[in-house]
Amino acid sequence: MIDDARFGLSRTVSLPGPLLLDSGAKLSPVEIAYETYGLLNADKSNAILICHALTGDQYVASVHPTTGKPGWWTRMVGPGKPIDPARHFIICANVLGSCMGSSGPAAIEPSSLTAYGMRFPVITIRDMVRAQAMLLDHLGVDRLHAVVGGSMGGMQALSWPATYPDRVEAALVIASTARHSAQNIAFHEVGRQAIMADPKWRGGDYYADADPPSAGLAVARMAAHITYLSEAGLTEKFGRKLQGRDAKTFGFDADFQIESYLRHQGLSFTDRFDANSYLYITRAMDYFDLAEEHGGHLAHAFKASRARFCLISFDTDWLYPTAESRAIVHALNAAGAPVSFVELKSPFGHDAFLLESPELNRIADGFLRAGESR
Amino acid sequence: MSDLRPDLAVIAANVAQGARVLDVGCGDGALMAVLRDRLGVDARGLEIDPENVSSAVARGLSVIQGNAEADLVDYPDDSFDYAILSQTLQTTMRPDLVLEQLLRIGRQAFVSFPNFAHWRVRLSLLWGGRMPVTRLLPVAWYETPNIHHVTIDDFRALLKERGITVEGAWFLNGDKATTAAAANFRAEHAVFLLQR
């Protein structure tokens, strides 16, 4: 396996497909960019799939090629961490529709040899999961010891046992939901409209002259970023503090630190993310309703699954509040699934799942080890 | 099973091998871990304190953070062989409704509670004129979680009124057994095995 080109950092694979999508469209070929860490053991029982969030990517525990920053979840993944390459074979793939090497609107459409743009088919969370299953087939992994994800990654982690009940032994779902609420959809729509209102968007056909709708994408990111933080967290970090000045300017500069912070977040995001991908992935999240996919009953989604589940929410997360996790727990109980749930305290809102949290790690570690030989 | 609290040891000694068990108020999962490791029980837990839940999950147990009164309604009928409520009944707002839920979810239910008619408690109130603080009731009246103190005879009366069958009963003074007849006076705590 050491010399096998399928395994390691910064891998890409082009699978012929076709991948039949929820929309009815077929995608072929299916490009998937991914990374693996650690070694698949002899009985192939130690594979863990990590699913990333809306703007995440496959660089879960290695340096990001564009930003130069460390992996986005090194607090959870790495030597001595709950997900440990010394014990686990870890897979993280860029989701379908994204822009870090997997098939998405920025990828080249085979029939036209130009970027898909808005000709890329609308995809769903379940389509992302199907593409991941194709990748697992390619890697020779039949069953997952666990599928793990926060936020949109949690949606995939829920969708996995519902879609492939025989391929998942455990699902760890953090700060997530089984469906997007009206409020969730509303915030995403603000972001999409900001992108599409940018004159540089041009119906999504902006790739040829390398002049993307960065202003619109930055505003989308700014709006979304607010939903990732708690009111108390914002107050503690920024309050009404002014940015590099002693008095208000009576103008529209970024007088307040929070304005400067959001502008920076928006701008730096445009260096690493594609506006059309943002449209497609937010759409997939808005379409997500796991109960709807199973006759309106969430419990039915888990009927065929034998997986263990662990759900974790954060008390200040108002994007996917604890009640959403509880609804999932209720359905899992009704389905008789072994499920754990805890609401953790954190001042950091939705973003807490990415931040230092010894308690989160302790739970994740215990949950994952419970499925390993004791 | 000497490492378990005496009432839990009684429960562990009377749960069938391989049963499905819901432990309501499971704490850090001590009983669940014993049931799982020694009897191959499929144990699930409900616990109000998040730190306890974390400890239980870190032991590999399936435990949900929640409270008996709000969350038991969400469990389907007859989903467990046993529902267990140990030393928690007296902390609930409506012990009678919790008891109903236990017997709806489990085919049988183990319920244990401290006996408020134990002679030490009686003496304390009779001679001291103060709310008792004893080994099983160690917390002062203003901060105790025990809001519905109950005696063994009170509990027996409730069972009779609701037509609940007693399948087993254990009356304990420390870890020593007491007879049923003398229980209301002599037992510090009681464990009942109940059935609809």
Side-chain angles (χ1 to χ4, degrees):
Chain A
M1 172 164 163
I2 306 231
D3 298 324
D4 192 323
R6 292 176 299 169
F7 306 107
L9 303 182
S10 294
R11 306 286 106 179
T12 52
V13 62
S14 179
L15 301 167
L19 174 60
L20 180 60
L21 304 169
D22 274 328
S23 66
K26 285 177 183 161
L27 188 66
S28 175
V30 180
E31 314 270 351
I32 302 176
Y34 65 97
E35 304 216 311
T36 73
Y37 312 80
L39 299 174
L40 189 59
N41 61 12
D43 58 359
K44 300 185 176 182
S45 63
N46 68 335
I48 294 183
L49 176 69
I50 297 173
C51 304
H52 68 71
L54 165 59
T55 67
D57 48 51
Q58 65 271 39
Y59 304 105
V60 58
S62 70
V63 173
H64 192 283
T66 312
T67 66
K69 288 184 179 167
W72 56 267
W73 218 12
T74 49
R75 289 178 176 89
M76 182 64 67
V77 183
K81 303 292 181 183
I83 303 173
D84 187 344
R87 290 190 291 134
H88 300 126
F89 174 60
I90 303 156
I91 308 149
C92 186
N94 190 214
V95 296
L96 204 61
S98 189
C99 51
M100 293 305 291
S102 291
S103 291
I108 299 299
E109 183 184 30
S111 60
S112 66
L113 296 179
T114 60
Y116 276 103
M118 301 311 281
R119 291 189 306 276
F120 192 75
V122 167
I123 44 129
T124 64
I125 297 292
R126 185 160 55 179
D127 291 333
M128 296 175 184
V129 165
R130 290 179 177 124
Q132 288 160 353
M134 289 170 68
L135 173 65
L136 294 194
D137 293 342
H138 170 70
L139 298 176
V141 174
D142 296 329
R143 286 172 67 79
L144 289 169
H145 171 54
V147 56
V148 179
S151 195
M152 186 184 85
M155 298 177 191
Q156 296 159 68
L158 280 174
S159 189
W160 252 100
T163 310
Y164 300 104
D166 299 328
R167 296 188 75 167
V168 187
E169 286 162 14
L172 176 56
V173 179
I174 306 167
S176 193
T177 180
R179 48 151 215 158
H180 245 210
S181 67
Q183 191 190 38
N184 296 147
I185 297 167
F187 273 106
H188 274 174
E189 177 61 2
V190 170
R192 285 189 294 263
Q193 287 303 325
I195 291 167
M196 294 192 279
D198 186 332
K200 291 183 175 176
W201 180 61
R202 289 167 282 167
D205 193 13
Y206 54 77
Y207 295 107
D209 41 6
D211 189 17
S214 299
L217 180 60
V219 172
R221 176 63 167 179
M222 289 167 75
H225 200 85
I226 301 166
T227 70
Y228 304 151
L229 307 172
S230 69
E231 200 266 339
L234 279 181
T235 302
E236 190 188 309
K237 194 167 175 187
F238 304 105
R240 293 184 51 81
K241 281 183 284 199
L242 300 178
Q243 175 68 26
R245 63 199 68 187
D246 299 324
K248 292 167 215 159
T249 62
F250 290 89
F252 294 95
D253 273 0
D255 273 0
F256 293 102
Q257 283 188 5
I258 179 61
E259 294 175 305
S260 169
Y261 171 79
L262 276 185
R263 288 183 188 189
H264 171 75
Q265 288 295 327
L267 263 179
S268 60
F269 180 61
T270 62
D271 293 338
R272 68 174 180 92
F273 214 80
D274 175 49
N276 284 341
S277 278
Y278 197 86
L279 300 180
Y280 275 89
I281 299 176
T282 55
R283 202 77 192 124
M285 294 170 78
D286 291 348
Y287 277 2
F288 185 59
D289 182 350
L290 194 54
E292 184 186 72
E293 290 172 14
H294 294 85
H297 297 284
L298 190 54
H300 290 179
F302 307 114
K303 261 200 325 206
S305 169
R306 305 278 302 275
R308 298 181 304 120
F309 290 81
C310 181
L311 284 100
I312 298 169
S313 69
F314 293 94
D315 60 350
T316 53
D317 182 351
W318 56 275
L319 185 65
Y320 302 135
T322 290
E324 299 296 335
S325 289
R326 281 202 177 280
I328 299 166
V329 169
H330 180 189
L332 286 164
N333 265 333
V339 52
S340 292
F341 162 70
V342 64
E343 178 192 62
L344 295 180
K345 287 199 186 311
S346 164
F348 301 116
H350 182 65
D351 258 357
F353 85 92
L354 292 168
L355 303 174
E356 189 70 34
S357 170
E359 204 66 349
L360 173 61
N361 280 32
R362 185 160 82 100
I363 295 167
D365 188 55
F367 177 70
L368 294 172
R369 282 183 192 273
E372 294 161 28
S373 49
R374 261 176 295 152
Chain B
M1 304 188 188
S2 53
D3 46 338
L4 282 178
R5 222 170 55 198
D7 59 320
L8 299 183
V10 165
I11 295 170
N14 289 279
V15 164
Q17 189 106 15
R20 282 176 53 79
V21 169
L22 177 66
D23 189 353
V24 181
C26 64
D28 66 359
L31 174 64
M32 291 173 68
V34 166
L35 294 176
R36 173 190 66 185
D37 298 341
R38 300 190 196 163
L39 295 167
V41 161
D42 180 0
R44 313 286 170 84
L46 185 67
E47 168 59 32
I48 199 163
D49 176 61
E51 272 182 44
N52 274 338
V53 178
S54 298
S55 298
V57 178
R59 298 165 96 143
L61 298 165
S62 294
V63 174
I64 290 166
Q65 184 188 340
N67 85 65
E69 275 159 304
D71 298 314
L72 286 180
V73 290
D74 290 341
Y75 289 82
D77 294 355
D78 289 316
S79 39
F80 293 92
D81 297 314
Y82 305 97
I84 297 171
L85 187 73
S86 54
Q87 309 283 359
T88 302
L89 188 72
Q90 75 282 357
T91 69
T92 61
M93 294 290 290
R94 285 294 301 272
D96 58 333
L97 301 183
V98 171
L99 195 58
E100 259 172 43
Q101 289 294 332
L102 288 178
L103 287 165
R104 180 186 63 78
I105 297 165
R107 286 195 306 105
Q108 295 187 312
F110 283 102
V111 177
S112 78
F113 57 87
N115 173 28
F116 205 66
H118 182 248
W119 63 269
R120 276 186 206 283
V121 175
R122 296 189 194 204
L123 274 188
S124 171
L125 200 52
L126 182 62
W127 298 114
R130 305 278 302 269
M131 282 300 277
V133 175
T134 65
R135 184 164 58 177
L136 264 85
L137 304 165
V139 181
W141 64 274
Y142 48 84
E143 55 180 356
T144 180
N146 302 328
I147 56 174
H148 280 120
H149 285 299
V150 54
T151 72
I152 290 173
D153 282 353
D154 282 332
F155 191 68
R156 285 169 167 154
L158 174 65
L159 298 178
K160 196 171 173 196
E161 181 197 312
R162 301 292 162 99
I164 297 168
T165 313
V166 177
E167 291 291 313
W170 298 265
F171 306 104
L172 301 167
N173 208 354
D175 54 1
K176 305 259 187 330
T178 313
T179 62
N184 202 41
F185 188 72
R186 300 199 47 178
E188 277 179 305
H189 53 143
V191 182
F192 282 84
L193 176 57
L194 307 171
Q195 192 164 332
R196 264 163 292 171

